[in-house]
Amino acid sequence: NPDSVVVPFELTDEMRAWVHAQVPDSGAPEMRLDRLLAAIVDPAGLGLTYEGGNTNTAREAFTSRKANCLGFTSLFVGLSRELGIPAFYLGVDDVERFERDGDLLVISGHVSAGFAVSAGKIKILEFTNAPKADYRHIRRVEDLTAIALYHSNHGAELLRGGRVNEALPWLRKAVEIDPELADGWIDLGVGLRRSGDLTGAEAAYRRALEVNPQGASAYQNLAALLRLRGQAKEADDLLTLSTRASGQNPFSYLALGDLSLSQGRVDEARRFYRRAMWLNRDDPEPYAALGLAALAGGDRREAAKWLRKAASRDKGNERVRRLEARLGERSAPRQSEGGA
């Protein structure tokens, strides 16, 4: 339902009139963006000041004259697009801050506004109280993800205020908008855990791992929950995996799939193995792993199909041989007792 979604970069008529009065409608885009940034932060203009811990929309930032980095970016992106300049959200992976709030580990990332000056060159328009830094790891954040991020951040702030029942609808909405937002699943897991729904919390943490096996907080939150439920061995195995996990490494997904399969979670294992396969379609291991998962689910025909795919890539691979042996064990005829 679109009416239930907050679009953080939407403008009011007052904001549209303001930006056209501050910035000329013609000229080089870079110059106009600089003029817009100056008008936003200059005390003689909007006079926007930094306020952490409160994610607001562009409209709220314009009214209150306060914003954190996400609120500023929503304001800047909305105003830039009103000027006909296609600015966008940028995720900055170089900046992370860590703090603890009760049982919640708060990991704060950084978002800024960007504009593609030319192929491979991005102009970054910054608003932060941190020292100026040379960013090395930036990524474009699509609008849908930015909308989900706003909902997730707002829900997390309600959680920190102890308003769990108010937070949960925002957190659920975030992962409905963008199911690939790993941090959204983690925040939802925290909310569900605080509400007493440990099963739902575990499912949310596991979904975060499927989306991004590189995120340390997903491992830590899930491991803590498993210990609480008496599953210490799996918790220790997860923490061991976290030290070598990488979101672009297919073997991280294979290791997580193996752990899921060892715990009897066949469907979850399949999802991890498929992600490994998508990252490296020439590697026989994900195909063989899917075959072993099919066997665990009792589907020999499916297992044989995966064996053919795996063997066509490398018959000598250890996991391929294991699958072949498992299929052979089950299909070998029983020898009759006694002799002629």
Side-chain angles (χ1 to χ4, degrees):
N1 178 9
D3 292 337
S4 70
V5 175
V6 177
V7 179
F9 47 85
E10 282 187 338
L11 306 183
T12 63
D13 289 340
E14 179 189 3
M15 296 166 71
R16 294 185 183 96
W18 179 87
V19 72
H20 286 292
Q22 299 294 322
V23 182
D25 290 331
S26 61
E30 288 185 75
M31 178 272 292
R32 296 168 69 209
L33 289 174
D34 288 336
R35 284 281 297 272
L36 174 58
L37 181 60
I40 289 174
V41 300
D42 192 328
L46 192 63
L48 192 74
T49 58
Y50 184 89
E51 181 179 70
N54 181 25
T55 299
N56 47 18
T57 64
R59 295 179 178 187
E60 292 166 342
F62 186 84
T63 300
S64 68
R65 307 310 203 242
K66 296 177 181 179
N68 64 3
C69 63
L70 184 57
F72 159 78
T73 303
S74 295
L75 176 65
F76 195 92
V77 166
L79 294 173
S80 298
R81 292 177 182 178
E82 173 63 22
L83 294 169
I85 304 173
F88 46 81
Y89 290 78
L90 273 181
V92 181
D93 296 330
D94 300 76
V95 180
E96 280 190 332
R97 294 189 299 274
F98 301 85
E99 58 180 304
R100 185 169 292 281
D101 179 20
D103 65 343
L104 180 64
L105 176 63
V106 182
I107 303 177
S108 304
H110 184 52
V111 177
S112 193
F115 171 70
V117 177
S118 60
K121 183 180 179 183
I122 293 176
K123 180 180 180 68
I124 300 175
L125 297 124
E126 188 64 278
F127 179 74
T128 178
N129 62 354
K132 183 175 176 60
D134 293 323
Y135 299 140
R136 294 173 298 166
H137 303 288
I138 59 173
R139 54 190 164 77
R140 180 166 179 162
V141 176
E142 299 301 330
D143 284 359
L144 200 66
T145 299
I147 295 170
L149 189 60
Y150 167 79
H151 286 74
S152 182
N153 278 21
H154 186 68
E157 286 161 8
L158 290 170
L159 272 183
R160 296 186 73 179
R163 298 154 66 184
V164 177
N165 291 336
E166 293 179 58
L168 285 173
W170 288 91
L171 299 173
R172 289 192 173 101
K173 182 68 67 177
V175 296
E176 288 172 8
I177 294 169
D178 185 2
E180 295 296 299
L181 183 65
D183 289 344
W185 286 107
I186 295 170
D187 289 341
L188 177 59
V190 173
L192 291 169
R193 178 180 171 179
R194 288 190 174 186
S195 73
D197 183 359
L198 300 188
T199 300
E202 181 177 342
Y205 293 145
R206 292 190 184 282
R207 187 72 177 89
L209 280 178
E210 289 182 32
V211 173
N212 178 21
Q214 197 172 6
S217 59
Y219 288 94
Q220 293 163 0
N221 279 289
L222 179 55
L225 182 59
L226 291 174
R227 286 188 184 281
L228 184 66
R229 306 186 81 172
Q231 298 167 249
K233 174 65 168 61
E234 187 180 359
D236 290 340
D237 290 343
L238 271 172
L239 291 176
T240 299
L241 283 176
S242 72
T243 63
R244 59 177 185 272
S246 167
Q248 295 302 312
N249 183 347
F251 295 101
S252 294
Y253 287 107
L254 281 170
L256 286 165
D258 292 345
L259 181 58
S260 298
L261 194 61
S262 73
Q263 300 295 320
R265 295 190 300 278
V266 178
D267 288 342
E268 183 179 279
R270 284 194 184 105
R271 292 195 294 271
F272 281 125
Y273 292 149
R274 286 186 181 277
R275 285 182 178 265
M277 180 181 69
W278 293 332
L279 284 170
N280 188 357
R281 291 188 174 273
D282 295 329
D283 184 4
E285 287 213 47
Y287 300 90
L290 283 162
L292 290 166
L295 273 182
D299 192 336
R300 284 180 46 77
R301 180 175 294 182
E302 180 78 4
K305 181 194 79 172
W306 288 115
L307 175 60
R308 289 193 294 273
K309 290 178 179 289
S312 70
R313 287 161 172 82
D314 184 359
K315 291 181 64 174
N317 178 271
E318 189 275 333
R319 199 184 289 252
V320 177
R321 292 202 307 268
R322 194 191 328 155
L323 173 59
E324 188 175 29
R326 290 280 303 280
L327 278 168
E329 288 170 7
R330 297 191 180 193
S331 60
R334 295 179 60 185
Q335 292 184 344
S336 60
E337 297 182 1

